[in-house]
Amino acid sequence: ILNVEQSPQSLHVQEGDSTNFTCSFPSSNFYALHWYRWETAKSPEALFVMTLNGDEKKKGRISATLNTKEGYSYLYIKGSQPEDSATYLCAFRGYGGSQGNLIFGKGTKLSVKP
Amino acid sequence: EAGVTQFPSHSVIEKGQTVTLRCDPISGHDNLYWYRRVMGKEIKFLLHFVKESKQDESGMPNNRFLAERTGGTYSTLKVQPAELEDSGVYFCASSLLDPNEKLFFGSGTQLSVL
């Protein structure tokens, strides 16, 4: 059984703090790693799709790194703002699975206090 | 451009009844996926359409679930007869055919089976 683990489960930070969280996934049979941002009652929104070991992607104040050999990815948020409050989901895709056959973690719920 | 739309947003039914969920993907997206999130757990893959064909239905829980995508446009997911354990949020997503494309999610249908 393939598992994707995210830590921490939840995180409370003050506005302006920088933060990061972890996604651990199987290190074998890797094809891609997705990050999504999900606000309750809204649609999960894609942040990054990462495929190459050592890849680093950036979108505004959010960035992510990927280590496929050891099976982890970090998501960083620089200078957190209240509007960053959401659940951040990572999802693993292995070889052999269809394009959308993603294995999701349970997410890290971020709360940013003004 | 319209995003992925799902209908209804909420559905409350009794055990044994039938419910049909609908998903309209982004125009031009040949890939369409269904996922489910049971409360407190991770989002789980149900199935994947490429146009009107089922590419991967390995995540469908049992034969009470029937998904269709006639004409390769919108899709329906029917649960008949519904059981208590079917309660959860059903997400639909769509994407272009490029295997590294991100997924665009709808905001989900909250299904409650009483």
Side-chain angles (χ1 to χ4, degrees):
Chain A
I1 296 177
L2 300 176
N3 263 343
V4 173
E5 302 287 342
Q6 291 189 247
S7 62
Q9 202 169 29
S10 63
L11 197 53
H12 298 264
V13 302
Q14 289 293 132
E15 182 175 355
D17 288 349
S18 291
T19 186
N20 66 84
F21 15 95
T22 306
C23 172
S24 300
F25 53 85
S27 57
S28 61
N29 210 33
F30 175 87
Y31 187 92
L33 195 281
H34 294 227
W35 280 101
Y36 291 89
R37 177 179 180 279
W38 181 31
E39 288 183 68
T40 306
K42 294 189 177 180
S43 312
E45 174 197 352
L47 292 172
F48 308 112
V49 178
M50 309 179 80
T51 57
L52 299 175
N53 184 43
D55 210 1
E56 182 169 340
K57 297 215 172 185
K58 191 173 179 182
K59 184 178 181 177
R61 293 179 291 100
I62 304 176
S63 61
T65 60
L66 180 68
N67 183 323
T68 61
K69 294 188 188 307
E70 295 181 44
Y72 64 83
S73 175
Y74 294 137
L75 190 80
Y76 301 91
I77 302 179
K78 185 178 176 182
S80 303
Q81 299 296 308
E83 58 265 29
D84 295 329
S85 297
T87 296
Y88 291 83
L89 300 165
C90 70
F92 166 85
R93 181 188 166 196
Y95 269 104
S98 69
Q99 188 169 341
N101 195 336
L102 302 175
I103 301 170
F104 281 84
K106 289 185 179 180
T108 292
K109 186 170 183 178
L110 175 67
S111 298
V112 183
K113 288 187 178 177
Chain B
E1 179 185 308
V4 176
T5 56
Q6 292 187 244
F7 182 83
S9 57
H10 294 83
S11 180
V12 181
I13 60 172
E14 292 189 350
K15 176 182 168 179
Q17 288 186 319
T18 297
V19 63
T20 301
L21 314 181
R22 174 172 168 141
C23 170
D24 286 77
I26 291 173
S27 177
H29 282 192
D30 288 333
N31 282 325
L32 186 149
Y33 321 89
W34 284 98
Y35 299 88
R36 177 173 73 174
R37 183 175 186 258
V38 172
M39 192 168 65
K41 300 203 170 181
E42 62 275 12
I43 296 173
K44 290 209 167 174
F45 168 80
L46 296 177
L47 89 159
H48 169 202
F49 283 100
V50 177
K51 297 184 181 179
E52 67 276 7
S53 300
K54 289 177 187 173
Q55 181 79 7
D56 181 353
E57 50 185 330
S58 60
M60 294 288 264
N62 52 60
N63 59 10
R64 294 185 294 104
F65 289 75
L66 176 64
E68 294 180 323
R69 193 183 181 194
T70 308
T73 53
Y74 72 91
S75 175
T76 57
L77 179 66
K78 182 160 73 173
V79 185
Q80 179 184 30
E83 298 288 345
L84 301 178
E85 65 264 25
D86 301 333
S87 296
V89 181
Y90 289 77
F91 288 104
C92 173
S94 70
S95 75
L96 297 170
L97 280 177
D98 185 312
N100 294 329
E101 274 292 322
K102 61 186 179 183
L103 275 57
F104 292 81
F105 279 81
S107 54
T109 293
Q110 172 75 60
L111 175 65
S112 299
V113 183
L114 306 179

